[in-house]
Amino acid sequence: MKILVIYIIIFLFALNDLISHFNERALDANLLMLVNIAILLFLIIARFQFYKIIRGSQQQVEKDKEDSHYIALERKAYTSTSFIQMALSLSFIGLLIGFLLLRETAPSVPFWSFALMIISVFNFFPNPQLMKITNPNFQFPNPQSNHYNQEVIDQFDDGEKYVILKSLLKVYSFLIWGLVILASGLMYYSIFSGNSQLISIIGIGILLILIQISYTTSLKPNKLK
């Protein structure tokens, strides 16, 4: 609960910073500060969900309601993780945009984003208490192991592997089409605005190549000895 109180105090400081400097800052600085406040809200919601999960896991429920109870806890665990992921992504993008546009005019705004990114990174680390709920039998393998990825996959049963595979295939398809649409959009932006996005388009092209080659190579069967 102490961490939740700290987040609320930080949120109040950020809100006060936005209100007290609202007229002094440009529109883009105020918008980015609003994003920082939204990030704090996401972290508060994630932490609040975490405490609800811990309390729920300590409750005694009737035998016929155990399955639905633990499914509800698991859903809350994934919801909490989603809010942390959104906070981490927004703080990273906010830091980049803030450093690019506001490092001289309003340096405190990207500093807020940087601090929130650090907090989000620490929150993103897998929590053993949550792992006991989402996957009670999961054991983290040695990070220095040469077969770390395989050892992680082996922790899941066939049903869980199927769900993971299905999700990853959706992500792969979304990522490929997203990069293609983004590159096309940057092309039209370059044409109509006169601001060349050639480097960005080349970077997206390289990513497309690496992603597709990595995926195809992973499907290639090993040589018979």
Side-chain angles (χ1 to χ4, degrees):
M1 190 60 70
K2 292 180 180 179
I3 296 177
L4 180 59
V5 173
I6 292 172
Y7 286 169
I8 293 174
I9 293 173
I10 296 173
F11 172 80
L12 293 175
F13 270 110
L15 189 61
N16 178 70
D17 181 89
L18 173 66
I19 295 172
S20 60
H21 297 91
F22 189 83
N23 294 325
E24 302 172 9
R25 291 173 176 154
L27 177 62
D28 51 358
N30 287 328
L31 289 175
L32 190 54
M33 199 61 201
L34 281 172
V35 172
N36 289 333
I37 290 174
I39 293 168
L40 277 166
L41 279 175
F42 290 157
L43 291 173
I44 289 172
I45 293 171
R47 181 54 55 170
F48 183 70
Q49 289 279 49
F50 172 76
Y51 288 124
K52 287 177 66 177
I53 294 165
I54 299 303
R55 286 198 300 268
S57 64
Q58 296 169 349
Q59 291 178 355
Q60 297 293 329
V61 295
E62 297 177 8
K63 192 74 174 179
D64 59 337
K65 296 182 179 179
E66 282 186 352
D67 289 342
S68 60
H69 177 69
Y70 280 101
I71 287 175
L73 292 180
E74 188 174 356
R75 287 176 62 85
K76 289 178 182 177
Y78 281 110
T79 299
S80 176
T81 302
S82 297
F83 276 109
I84 293 172
Q85 290 171 330
M86 288 191 292
L88 179 59
S89 298
L90 282 175
S91 58
F92 175 67
I93 298 300
L95 173 62
L96 297 182
I97 294 175
F99 184 79
L100 182 65
L101 300 179
L102 306 171
R103 64 184 182 277
E104 296 179 357
T105 57
S108 63
V109 178
F111 176 78
W112 271 102
S113 300
F114 174 74
L116 292 174
M117 185 181 71
I118 298 299
I119 294 173
S120 300
V121 167
F122 281 103
N123 277 273
F124 191 70
F125 291 147
N127 189 291
Q129 291 174 295
L130 289 184
M131 290 301 300
K132 288 180 181 179
I133 295 171
T134 57
N135 197 324
N137 299 319
F138 190 88
Q139 297 290 332
F140 283 101
N142 184 356
Q144 297 179 350
S145 172
N146 293 330
H147 306 287
Y148 177 81
N149 290 333
Q150 186 62 47
E151 291 174 9
V152 169
I153 293 174
D154 291 340
Q155 299 285 331
F156 301 98
D157 59 32
D158 290 341
E160 290 169 329
K161 288 178 182 177
Y162 173 76
V163 172
I164 293 171
L165 176 61
K166 188 177 178 180
S167 300
L168 289 177
L169 284 174
K170 287 182 179 179
V171 171
Y172 172 78
S173 178
F174 177 81
L175 183 59
I176 294 298
W177 282 107
L179 289 174
V180 169
I181 293 171
L182 178 59
S184 301
L186 289 174
M187 179 193 70
Y188 284 110
Y189 174 80
S190 299
I191 293 173
F192 293 113
S193 69
N195 297 321
S196 176
Q197 300 295 314
L198 181 61
I199 298 298
S200 300
I201 294 172
I202 292 174
I204 291 172
I206 293 173
L207 275 177
L208 278 170
I209 293 171
L210 291 176
I211 291 170
Q212 292 181 88
I213 288 178
S214 298
Y215 176 73
T216 306
T217 302
S218 67
L219 299 177
K220 186 189 298 184
N222 295 325
K223 291 181 178 179
L224 293 175
K225 294 182 180 181

